Amino acid sequence: MKSARFLLVCSVIGTLTLLHSALAQTAAEEGKLQHFDPQQADRALDPCQDFYKFSCGKWFAANPIPADQVSWSTGSGLNIWNLNVSRETMQKAAGKADRSQVEQQVGDYWSACMDEKGIDAAGLRDLTPEMQRIDAIKDKAGLIDEVAHLHQTLPAAWAGDNNQTGAPMFGFGPSQDLDDASLVVLSVDQGGLALPSRDFYIQDDAKSVEIRNKYQAHLRKMFELSGQNKEESGRNAATVLAMETDLAKAQMDNITRRDPKKLNNKMSLEQLQALTPNINWKHYLELVHAPPTHHYLVSTPDFMKALNQALQDHPLEHWKTYLRWHLLHFSAPYLSAAFVDENWSFYSHTLIGAERIQPRWRRCVRAADRDLGEVLGQAYVAQAFPPENKQRVLDLVHNIEGALDQDIQSLGWMSSTSKSEAAKKLHSIEEKIGYPNSWRDYSSLKITSNSYLHNVHAATSFEFTRQLNKVGKPVDRAEWGMTPPTIDAYYDPQLNTINFPAGILQPPYFEQRQDDAVNYGGIGAVIGHEIIHGFDDQGRQFDPTGNLRDWWTPEDARAYDERGNCIANEYTQEIPEAGPEVKQNGRLTQGEDTADNGGLRLALMALELALKKEGKSLDEKGADGWTPRQRFFLSFGDIWCTEVRPEALRTQVLTNPHSFAKYRVNNTVANMPEFQQAFGCKKGAPMAHVNACRVW
Ligand SMILES: [Zn+2]
């Protein structure tokens, strides 16, 4: 189980870009950083009515979503700024005469990607040999050879990513064992879809039907681009949709998947083979060079059973068509303009509402961040994250951990037994700030200036091998799951670590020159959020060493669930911004919502303690007319100002465990008496819930 399911922040951008491999753009090519501005709040409005509007309304009016964006937030300028830092690194390396190996890799990756003319002129040159492999498959046994090849070469398809739609047929990769986190074993997971989740295949409201019709048209066009005639393409499009729908029906839904116990199915190779007799596992494992494993973690046995059945039911020709589609799908961004445009038109326009494609250079930097992330990350850190920033962030982290220590001791609903276990877990959390202590070695990865597609295949294969090499070895606790320029953060329950890449330790989230109130309301809320993930409905099931072990007394677990249910019910609500009849399921977002609520409270507690040390209080008015308590909440509102196109928001609500920014702000503050105190809100006002929820 990778940390990918536990990620936070800027999720709208982070998650949606995975769908279409395109990126953010603004009118300002360089990226404008957003700094905290106490004048941004709209004092003409009542903060107790709609705090999100009070914080963000003026900013929205001045910052409409650019045409090539699906969302636009106060963090979007930083996104462009971060990309520009990496662009400069790549351009410099491309133009240099006497180059180190790393400069050669970075420079040639850039040259190959930016050479649109060359890629267009090459047409199907690089794709054809891949298509011929599939044409040559003679029997169903041969399918597994090709699946092994595709798993090793198609980006975003490699299995350890643990996305639900993922790799062709099934997902495959390393995973820490759930019962013994010191063991790295091989894991097999559901996969095989190209729409964002199973819901897209099985829901039958008008919008879902419309999207499926457009998906089928997209499949047809992609087959046509690969050289098939109209009649063939139409038939094949229908075949793929039918096959993926079969697989989708068998997938475990994303709410059930939130319970790690449901994913904890250990099997021997013999048991896995008996579960899926139509997949020759010994052969597959040889082809991908899988190391010996203590056992297999088969997350979703029912899905694997259904896949096995589908292998029997569908004729060989259907499966070849299915594999051709997945090859085309995961190759499209690296091929000629016709493929790029068609891929964009469905995945970025239809699914998430973008009106124009991102400029080429941003797409190239994004791909390079995925493929050569820690090389570009070194240059980013050198330019954007000095040691004194790291120290200040570390101080914030320690103070917020201290606040949770106090919070745990003061909770009325928890017994002293569970309290001491919780404190033990808190004290074993390891903090990772900015960047890894040692950098990944890419020297065996061969990058050339000849073919963008080949470079992406080589990088995917390099990463696949690196991942599998973890199996059977001691867990690498120092490894990072995100690259340094990433604007995001995560908690990893199996390592019990919190991780904050340098990319998010920038304005508007963190700024060295800002006072504590602003930084605690910004990055402090993010830090608190990640720490609370260790204690949300999912994280609380893991112990200090990362093992899935119940350390709760039954009464405390019951008391926890009662409080967790309050949150889940509160966030189960209509999302009118996403279109008619779109409803958020609070069971999907419960962990993130719990983290938002607990995290903000911890950050405020830590701010109060920090001010006290300097002899200051939360409620002394400053020169700008706001108190530190008010500035704290204003900063929190600021970092979440986010506009999202309705198409993208609908996709987010169906697939993303994070609530929409507006509710991350409003529901959270409405649960806090500390907020009502800050702005004098009367009980029963929209931002002062009568039945406020609180877990931590
Ligand atoms: Zn989170």
Side-chain angles (χ1 to χ4, degrees):
M1 185 160 55
K2 285 296 288 179
S3 50
R5 290 188 300 120
F6 298 86
L7 310 187
L8 140 100
V9 165
C10 284
S11 51
V12 182
I13 295 169
T15 307
L16 295 178
T17 45
L18 291 176
L19 298 176
H20 61 121
S21 76
L23 212 246
Q25 172 177 335
T26 166
E29 277 287 290
E30 297 303 315
K32 195 170 147 276
L33 295 181
Q34 181 78 32
H35 304 277
F36 175 76
D37 176 5
Q39 303 310 321
Q40 191 186 294
D42 190 344
R43 290 187 189 236
L45 300 175
D46 178 1
C48 304
Q49 284 297 312
D50 180 343
F51 186 61
Y52 188 66
K53 197 169 173 194
F54 176 82
S55 300
C56 302
K58 273 162 76 176
W59 191 86
F60 289 153
N63 296 277
I65 309 182
D68 57 358
Q69 293 290 339
V70 298
S71 70
W72 196 240
S73 70
T74 38
S76 295
L78 171 62
N79 195 356
I80 309 293
W81 190 86
N82 284 357
L83 289 169
N84 260 297
V85 173
S86 295
R87 164 160 77 167
E88 277 167 31
T89 307
M90 297 186 82
Q91 270 176 333
K92 227 189 265 168
K96 226 175 142 188
D98 196 13
R99 304 189 293 184
S100 68
Q101 192 199 9
V102 160
E103 287 168 334
Q104 178 273 318
Q105 288 169 316
V106 166
D108 283 353
Y109 193 100
W110 176 259
S111 305
C113 181
M114 289 301 288
D115 182 17
E116 267 182 295
K117 262 196 200 138
I119 292 170
D120 283 346
L124 295 172
R125 180 195 69 193
D126 297 334
L127 187 70
T128 300
E130 295 292 328
M131 277 296 196
Q132 286 168 343
R133 289 179 55 99
I134 299 176
D135 296 343
I137 300 173
K138 287 195 195 59
D139 49 30
K140 283 191 178 173
L143 289 170
I144 207 66
D145 293 60
E146 183 58 15
V147 168
H149 173 71
L150 295 177
H151 283 180
Q152 291 172 91
T153 47
L154 297 186
W158 88 267
D161 225 5
N162 198 31
N163 55 45
Q164 297 162 48
T165 53
M169 282 199 200
F170 59 87
F172 183 81
S175 168
Q176 276 175 273
D177 184 58
L178 285 159
D179 296 318
D180 179 358
S182 70
L183 273 184
V184 184
V185 297
L186 282 169
S187 118
V188 179
D189 202 354
Q190 63 191 25
L193 311 182
L195 284 174
S197 78
R198 75 192 285 274
D199 294 336
F200 283 78
Y201 294 89
I202 56 188
Q203 290 192 350
D204 50 16
D205 58 287
K207 186 74 189 170
S208 300
V209 172
E210 180 200 327
I211 288 176
R212 275 199 295 278
N213 288 337
K214 288 184 175 168
Y215 180 53
Q216 203 165 328
H218 168 64
L219 290 162
R220 204 188 65 234
K221 283 183 207 148
M222 291 289 280
F223 282 126
E224 279 177 28
L225 287 175
S226 77
Q228 296 180 3
N229 68 37
K230 266 208 155 62
E231 193 265 326
E232 262 180 306
S233 303
R235 208 176 48 232
N236 289 336
T239 298
V240 168
L241 182 57
M243 293 176 79
E244 289 186 352
T245 303
D246 275 357
L247 298 179
K249 283 180 182 157
Q251 282 208 350
M252 189 188 283
D253 68 80
N254 51 10
I255 293 167
T256 310
R257 277 184 79 87
R258 296 198 64 254
D259 184 351
K261 288 195 288 293
K262 301 258 166 59
L263 304 172
N264 191 13
N265 310 294
K266 287 193 195 47
M267 287 190 191
S268 65
L269 184 55
E270 290 69 34
Q271 287 169 317
L272 176 60
Q273 191 58 64
L275 181 75
T276 50
N278 293 321
I279 298 173
N280 182 340
W281 284 103
K282 198 163 165 278
H283 189 51
Y284 174 85
L285 295 169
E286 272 166 21
L287 289 170
V288 300
H289 309 289
T293 181
H294 184 271
H295 56 262
Y296 293 81
L297 207 52
V298 183
S299 314
T300 49
D302 287 344
F303 173 84
M304 295 308 291
K305 244 188 267 176
L307 171 62
N308 186 70
Q309 191 60 43
L311 279 164
Q312 195 160 312
D313 293 347
H314 286 281
L316 176 65
E317 267 319 308
H318 285 190
W319 279 109
K320 288 168 74 166
T321 298
Y322 168 89
L323 293 181
R324 283 187 194 103
W325 154 240
H326 281 256
L327 171 64
L328 288 168
H329 173 54
F330 286 111
S331 304
Y334 321 105
L335 295 172
S336 61
F339 282 99
V340 171
D341 292 345
E342 177 52 37
N343 184 57
W344 174 87
S345 162
F346 180 72
Y347 282 96
S348 297
H349 176 65
T350 301
L351 273 188
I352 50 179
E355 289 169 1
R356 201 187 321 130
I357 197 165
Q358 307 279 340
R360 180 89 185 171
W361 74 265
R362 286 189 196 148
R363 287 178 272 145
C364 289
V365 173
R366 280 288 289 191
D369 179 65
R370 178 195 64 208
D371 291 340
L372 292 163
E374 290 201 6
V375 174
L376 292 173
Q378 289 176 51
Y380 178 81
V381 166
Q383 183 164 336
F385 195 58
E388 61 271 25
N389 289 23
K390 185 168 175 165
Q391 190 50 54
R392 175 107 181 262
V393 172
L394 198 57
D395 290 344
L396 260 77
V397 170
H398 287 151
N399 290 343
I400 292 168
E401 286 171 338
L404 180 55
D405 233 342
Q406 285 194 7
D407 178 56
I408 289 171
Q409 294 319 320
S410 70
L411 288 176
W413 57 269
M414 225 177 164
S415 70
S416 59
T417 320
S418 298
K419 278 182 181 177
S420 94
E421 290 287 329
K424 229 184 270 171
K425 178 162 182 178
L426 167 63
H427 299 151
S428 6
I429 291 179
E430 193 179 326
E431 307 98 6
K432 295 197 235 169
I433 313 290
Y435 49 92
N437 291 333
S438 65
W439 297 100
R440 197 169 293 169
D441 174 15
Y442 291 84
S443 56
S444 64
L445 169 57
K446 193 165 179 279
I447 299 292
T448 74
S449 59
N450 302 331
S451 164
Y452 184 26
L453 186 69
H454 286 173
N455 286 345
V456 170
H457 285 181
T460 307
S461 173
F462 171 84
E463 175 64 8
F464 188 89
T465 305
R466 191 184 74 80
Q467 291 288 347
L468 286 201
N469 280 340
K470 296 177 188 173
V471 175
K473 302 214 178 85
V475 177
D476 178 7
R477 294 190 54 82
E479 188 188 3
W480 277 69
M482 285 180 181
T483 65
T486 305
I487 305 176
D488 211 331
Y490 67 100
Y491 170 76
D492 186 325
Q494 291 181 285
L495 293 175
N496 200 20
T497 60
I498 44 174
N499 308 258
F500 305 96
I504 198 172
L505 304 174
Q506 313 289 343
Y509 308 98
F510 169 79
E511 193 162 16
Q512 188 67 254
R513 69 178 169 88
Q514 296 286 358
D515 61 298
D516 276 344
V518 170
N519 280 326
Y520 276 94
I523 198 67
V526 175
I527 294 166
H529 173 109
E530 297 308 339
I531 293 171
I532 291 293
H533 268 316
F535 305 88
D536 70 17
D537 60 312
Q538 206 170 42
R540 78 172 186 85
Q541 302 186 51
F542 293 84
D543 74 8
T545 54
N547 294 340
L548 185 58
R549 178 177 69 80
D550 190 359
W551 47 267
W552 294 71
T553 68
E555 305 79 66
D556 289 344
R558 252 194 312 275
Y560 184 101
D561 285 342
E562 215 174 276
R563 282 161 179 76
N565 287 340
C566 180
I567 296 265
N569 294 335
E570 182 178 60
Y571 284 80
T572 297
Q573 55 188 3
E574 305 284 337
I575 310 293
E577 296 86 354
E581 290 171 52
V582 182
K583 199 170 177 189
Q584 178 74 66
N585 186 330
R587 296 272 153 212
L588 177 62
T589 56
Q590 184 183 345
E592 297 299 337
D593 299 331
T594 303
D596 280 345
N597 278 270
L600 191 62
R601 181 171 283 111
L602 292 187
L604 183 61
M605 285 172 70
L607 171 63
E608 189 170 15
L609 293 171
L611 289 174
K612 220 180 243 167
K613 269 189 212 158
E614 297 169 26
K616 296 180 195 158
S617 99
L618 274 176
D619 300 304
E620 263 163 56
K621 218 176 230 181
D624 60 7
W626 299 113
T627 65
R629 186 194 296 274
Q630 289 170 327
R631 283 167 68 82
F632 170 89
F633 283 111
L634 290 174
S635 177
F636 174 68
D638 268 13
I639 65 164
W640 285 114
C641 297
T642 309
E643 297 155 287
V644 186
R645 295 188 190 276
E647 296 89 341
L649 192 53
R650 182 181 176 280
T651 302
Q652 181 190 339
V653 170
L654 289 176
T655 60
N656 197 309
H658 301 84
S659 296
F660 174 40
K662 176 180 168 181
Y663 304 100
R664 296 187 77 162
V665 172
N666 281 353
N667 289 8
T668 305
V669 299
N671 282 330
M672 289 178 73
E674 298 89 334
F675 172 81
Q676 288 124 37
Q677 190 185 337
F679 293 98
C681 303
K682 298 214 169 57
K683 258 285 173 252
M687 298 295 105
H689 285 173
V690 177
N691 298 312
C693 302
R694 175 173 177 184
V695 182
W696 297 102

